[in-house]
Every structure is written in C-alpha cells, then in structure tokens.
Amino acid sequence: MTTNMNALVTGANKGIGLETARRLAAMGFKAWLGARDAERGEAAAKALRNEGLDVEWLELDVTSDDSVAAAARTLTAQVSSLDVLVNNAGIAPGYVDALGPDGRYERPPSLENVTDMKATYDVNVFGPLRVTQAFLPLLLASPAARIVMVSSNLGSIARAAGNGQSPNVMGYGSSKTALNAITVAFARELSPRGIMVNAAAPGYTATDLNAHRGGRTVQQAAGIIVQLATLKAGGPTGGYFDENGPLPW
C-alpha cells in the first residue's frame, strides 16, 4: 500500500472534475479519477500523466451501489488512506433543452419532468451519499481528511426566494439544496473525528452540462473546490462557499 496523499474526484474525466484532479495532482496528491466509462477515464488519466502528474482512473458509477462498493474495495487494496474526496459528479437532464434563444432557462416547475428529477437526484444527491459512506473507512484512516460536495449557487434557497434574477431551475437547483443539507449532516458527524466537510459553488461554468453556455472557465471554477479540499486545521466545516466566501443557505 502507498503512503502518499491520495485524492478521489468523482466525475473526473472532463470539465470541472478533470481540472480539480489536475490541480490536486499538481499539489502533490495522487489523484484518482472516478469515472464510469473506461475509455474516457483512461484517456483523461493518460492526458494528466503526460503532464507528469500521478493520476489513475478508478471505475466508479455513483448511481450504482455495486460499482461504488467495488471502487472502494479497489482503492482500499492500493492505498492506506484517502485524504481528499471531491463529490463532483453531477447531471442536469433537460437543462439545455429548456434554454431559450437568449440563453435563459424557460421551463417552469409545473412542466418539470419527474423522471428527469429522479435521475438528477440519483446522481447529485444519492451519488455523494453512496460514495461518502463507501469511502469513509479510508477517509477516517487519514489524519485530516477533507470532503468537498460540489454544489451550486442554485442550491441557495435564500437566493432563489429573494432574488428574481436567479433562474427557477427546480430539479437541478433543489438537488443541490439537498446536497447542502447532506454536507451539514456529514460535517456534524465527522467534525469530532477531524474530517472537514464543505459545499463548494463553482459558478456558472462552461461545461457539457450546460452546452458550454456558462461564463466561467473550469480553471476558475476549480479554485474554491481545491481551496476547500486543502483546508488547514482549524478551517471551516459544514459551510457553503464560493470563491468570495460563505453563501446564504
């Protein structure tokens, strides 16, 4: 087993997840790229290895109990502890189709597709729950593990209720609200054991999730995630942050 610092990022074969893995690997972590697809996962890992970084692909489908359990067994056989877990994998089915010509989200909650919402929750809410539970023994074996839940500004109920500029994206937004609640719950449990758990809002970033309509780069988006993943002792836990500081729940 290795004794290096290890970081696992889910949904890491592209976008914000890939950039987060790159940044962590550049800081000296061995980065494990969690991804469902072998071809894309291996290609992403190879690309980062070609940059001289210590990166491996880890087969991981966050919607599958069996896949998550198998991934945890695979990693446990190779490392003695996990120092960083970034729950980044996320989806927003139907989001792009609901964008109007001016890029504004136009689907009202009364027309939200329940099947799409269930799929969204399976990845965005139950996925981080599955993964965190499965990898908790490895995280507890680290002297100071950090867990980052990749949330969104759309998860803020306060912003949605008090700011008419916030798009009314019920399915995706409410999944991130639920993820924020999960963040607080894990933080309360794990704080006495030295693990910090925080939610990061990377901003509206140009990724496949929104057909690259976002105005931020993955490099900008990864900043707050990496910051929370590498907090020093005494830092915050159970919080919800973007790059400018705490966000309202």
Side-chain angles (χ1 to χ4, degrees), residues 104-196:
R104 292 179 181 271
Y105 187 82
E106 296 182 341
R107 179 178 293 127
S110 56
L111 297 180
E112 184 71 71
N113 183 292
V114 173
T115 299
D116 282 349
M117 278 194 69
K118 287 181 177 180
T120 301
Y121 271 64
D122 204 18
V123 175
N124 297 3
V125 181
F126 303 125
L129 176 58
R130 286 186 188 97
V131 172
T132 302
Q133 289 179 337
F135 286 88
L136 191 54
L138 280 176
L139 290 160
L140 289 169
S142 167
R146 307 289 180 251
I147 301 172
V148 182
M149 308 292 192
V150 179
S151 184
S152 166
N153 290 312
L154 293 176
S156 170
I157 294 178
R159 285 168 61 101
N163 180 357
Q165 300 300 312
S166 180
N168 196 10
V169 189
M170 185 174 69
Y172 180 80
S174 66
S175 78
K176 295 302 186 178
T177 305
L179 181 61
N180 288 348
I182 285 174
T183 301
V184 173
F186 271 118
R188 290 176 64 187
E189 176 187 1
L190 299 177
S191 178
R193 308 187 74 172
I195 297 179
M196 295 178 187

Side-chain angles (χ1 to χ4, degrees), residues 42-94:
E42 281 287 8
K46 182 178 179 181
L48 294 189
R49 286 196 295 270
N50 288 342
E51 297 179 21
L53 301 173
D54 190 3
V55 177
E56 297 288 343
W57 168 63
L58 180 67
E59 183 175 0
L60 178 57
D61 177 355
V62 302
T63 68
S64 166
D65 292 341
D66 290 342
S67 175
V68 172
R73 288 194 298 270
T74 297
L75 199 58
T76 299
Q78 299 190 55
V79 305
S80 57
S81 63
L82 181 62
D83 305 283
V84 170
L85 170 61
V86 178
N87 283 300
N88 166 76
I91 62 170

Side-chain angles (χ1 to χ4, degrees), residues 204-230:
Y204 193 38
T205 304
T207 65
D208 287 351
L209 186 142
N210 55 42
H212 294 267
R213 298 284 190 99
R216 289 169 59 79
T217 66
V218 293
Q219 289 78 16
Q220 291 172 314
I224 183 59
I225 300 171
V226 173
Q227 179 183 331
L228 294 174
T230 56

